Structure formats: structure tokens, C-alpha cells
Amino acid sequence: AGDSIAGALAAGLDAAAAGCGGGGGGGGDSGEDEPTSAEWKARGGAHFKAGRFKEARECYGEALDLEMASDYSGGKAVASVLYANRSVCQLKLGDHDAALLDAGRAVQIDRQNRKAFFRKGEAFHAMQRYDDALDAYLHAQHLCEEAGEPPDPALEKRIEYCERPAKDR
């Protein structure tokens, strides 16, 4: 039983596809080790790639709970990534307020997280708050330039859209 988590991870998380953590529980795990934050993150990624955004969101939440309980033993940058990942799940599920909240937390934790600024822009964009979205997108673009990365076409497109006059959107 102890190898089931590792086996599920190695097999593309097929065994974990039904959910993450709170899906039926109440204990009785027959002594299996609790998944680590990294394992929850990996499960979340697999669910996300399969289009199971609710399950992905739950997995990222479990990973965040573990990170907070361990006083961010994985480092604050890990927590920032988890919040940014959960933010995109919230966006996919149509919960723009929750997406903005998670993206904002990601940015607060790690001001160098380019993806967190992009997610924050996406949340504002979904709320039709284009000036706020533009600020977040421009910050993400600035961080990309500072890192010496090539321009991101998706980011450039979003910036261009937000810079248009309101009547042309």
C-alpha cells in the first residue's frame, strides 16, 4: 500500500485522477504515508493537463496547506508557484475573484514570479479591469526583460489588447 502513491505518480497519476485529498475520506488510509507538497503539486499538474481544474485546484490547495503547516519548508517561492497555479485553476472554473486573490498572494510572496503577475493580469482581464490588467502584464513583461528572456507572444498580445481604447476592445 505504501508504494501506491509513488506508483500512481510514475504511471501518470492515473490512480490519482479521481480527486485529491478530501474526496471521500474520513481516515482509514491503511497506514500510507501522507503525500508531500511536491506530490500534491505533481497531482495538480496532471489534473490540470487533463482538464480537471477542480481537482487540480484541490491538489494545489493541499500542497499549500502542507507548505504553510511546515512554515514554508519548501521555500516561499514554492508557495508562490502553488498560489499562481491555483489561480489559473480558479480562472478556468470562472471564479475570477478567487483567481485574483490567489495571484495577489503569489505576487506578495515572490515579487519576481513573472507567472504570478501574468495570472494577476489574467484575473483582472477576466473582470474587464483592463487598466489593472495592463499594469500586471507590464510588470510581468519587465521581469521577463530583466531575466533576459525573449518576448512572450501571449503576453505581448494581452498588453496590446489592454492598450486599445475601450471602444476598440
Side-chain angles (χ1 to χ4, degrees), residues 4 10 19 21-22 35-36 41 53 59 61 63 75 106 108 120-123 130 134-135 137 150 154 156-157 165-166:
S4 66
T36 65
K41 181 179 182 253
F53 305 119
C59 290
Q108 285 177 332
K120 190 173 180 181
E122 291 290 272
Y130 300 113
L134 180 60
D135 287 343
Y137 291 143
E156 299 289 328
K157 190 174 184 179

Side-chain angles (χ1 to χ4, degrees), residues 58-72:
E58 292 170 8
C59 290
Y60 293 132
E62 291 288 340
L64 279 163
D65 289 347
L66 285 174
E67 284 298 316
M68 286 187 277
S70 68
D71 200 25
Y72 300 104

Side-chain angles (χ1 to χ4, degrees), residues 79-135:
S80 179
V81 168
L82 291 169
Y83 276 118
N85 288 355
R86 192 169 73 175
S87 175
V88 74
C89 294
Q90 307 282 26
L91 279 170
K92 295 286 189 181
L93 293 167
D95 192 345
H96 306 142
D97 291 328
L100 180 59
L101 187 62
D102 278 347
R105 288 176 179 149
V107 164
Q108 285 177 332
I109 292 171
D110 182 1
R111 302 281 304 163
Q112 300 303 307
N113 186 339
R114 297 180 295 279
K115 207 174 259 188
F117 279 98
F118 183 76
R119 301 285 184 240
K120 190 173 180 181
E122 291 290 272
F124 280 131
H125 192 272
M127 301 165 113
Q128 298 182 343
R129 292 175 54 184
Y130 300 113
D131 289 340
D132 293 325
L134 180 60
D135 287 343

